[in-house]
């Protein structure tokens, strides 16, 4: 394979298939709701074989968890602005854009559904919470290392993320910059 051919395939076939499968899941959640589609339907929508999905993710719950975590990590990475207030404002604005964007409500519904569905779903929901809590904790630890007083990760979840999630889940949008900044100000 020439250098030019490699340059046209950033991430290669595996990354492309992963993106197609993730988009298929997001679309199906938007159209059908959580728990109302199968691996076969995801595979058909993505244009891949069922076996490809099982080989890569093992189960529908693992795939759904991967979709939710990937979206969280890609769309709402932990900022490092140099101050806790700046980090929290930037992070909250990123999350607000993600959960109110075209696929945001579907991914948010997925995260909620994973957290409340059966034993496998409970494990998947716990994985989502653990990963997001770990990331929040790294931001809060950086603030403490700078000498700032920082809340706990669950306080950020309770006082910044939960109100935004509830508003989106119940159709109480838009999430304005003033509303988001108010959440951060009350938290701090």
């Amino acid at each position: 394979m020439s250098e030019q051919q490699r340059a046209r395939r950033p991430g290669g076939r595996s990354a492309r298939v992963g993106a197609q499968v993730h988009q298929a899941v997001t679309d199906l959640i938007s159209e059908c709701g959580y728990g109302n589609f199968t691996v076969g339907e995801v595979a058909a929508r993505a244009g891949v074989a069922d076996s490809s999905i099982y080989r890569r993710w093992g189960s529908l719950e693992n795939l759904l968890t991967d979709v939710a975590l990937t979206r969280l990590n890609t769309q709402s990475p932990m900022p490092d602005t140099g101050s806790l207030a700046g980090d929290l404002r930037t992070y909250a604005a990123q999350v607000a854009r993600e959960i109110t964007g075209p696929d945001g409500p579907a991914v948010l519904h997925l995260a909620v559904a994973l957290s409340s569905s059966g034993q496998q779903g409970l494990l998947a929901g716990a994985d989502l919470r653990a990963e997001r809590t770990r990331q929040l904790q790294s931001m809060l630890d950086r603030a403490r290392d700078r000498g700032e007083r920082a809340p706990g990760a669950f306080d950020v979840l309770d006082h910044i993320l939960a109100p935004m999630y509830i508003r989106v889940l119940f159709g109480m949008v838009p999430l304005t910059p003033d509303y988001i900044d108010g959440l951060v100000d009350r938290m701090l």
Side-chain angles (χ1 to χ4, degrees):
M1 180 181 289
S2 73
E3 288 299 317
Q4 188 177 18
Q5 287 172 316
R6 272 192 219 107
R8 281 187 277 163
R9 292 186 58 200
R13 182 179 187 285
S14 180
R16 188 174 60 252
V17 167
Q20 290 170 297
V21 170
H22 278 218
Q23 189 59 53
V25 166
T26 303
D27 292 345
L28 286 165
I29 291 168
S30 292
E31 294 166 19
C32 307
Y34 174 79
N36 297 319
F37 57 88
T38 65
V39 168
E41 290 168 305
V42 172
R45 176 75 61 104
V48 301
D50 295 22
S51 60
S52 295
I53 292 175
Y54 284 114
R55 186 172 40 256
R56 187 165 182 176
W57 288 281
S59 69
L60 183 58
E61 286 79 13
N62 289 343
L63 169 59
L64 297 174
T65 302
D66 185 51
V67 168
L69 279 172
T70 299
R71 288 298 297 259
L72 286 172
N73 294 335
T74 315
Q75 303 296 323
S76 303
M78 289 296 127
D80 188 359
T81 66
S83 75
L84 179 59
D87 289 351
L88 288 172
R89 279 187 176 75
T90 300
Y91 175 66
Q94 289 171 347
V95 170
R97 276 191 304 278
E98 168 62 14
I99 64 176
T100 60
D103 296 331
V107 173
L108 186 54
H109 281 94
L110 169 61
V112 170
L114 282 170
S115 296
S116 60
S117 66
Q119 185 60 30
Q120 190 74 10
L122 288 174
L123 294 173
D127 288 346
L128 285 170
R129 283 188 307 280
E131 177 61 16
R132 196 37 114 189
T133 302
R134 184 192 63 73
Q135 292 171 344
L136 283 169
Q137 193 60 55
S138 70
M139 178 176 56
L140 299 170
D141 289 345
R142 275 196 319 267
R144 285 188 191 95
D145 291 346
R146 290 188 301 259
E148 295 179 86
R149 249 186 69 207
F154 284 113
D155 290 327
V156 175
L157 292 171
D158 287 342
H159 298 285
I160 296 176
L161 298 181
M164 291 193 299
Y165 291 170
I166 291 297
R167 283 182 172 239
V168 170
L169 288 170
F170 288 102
M172 301 164 57
V173 289
L175 301 177
T176 66
D178 287 342
Y179 173 74
I180 295 164
D181 286 346
L183 292 174
V184 173
D185 291 343
R186 284 188 293 281
M187 168 79 229
L188 295 174

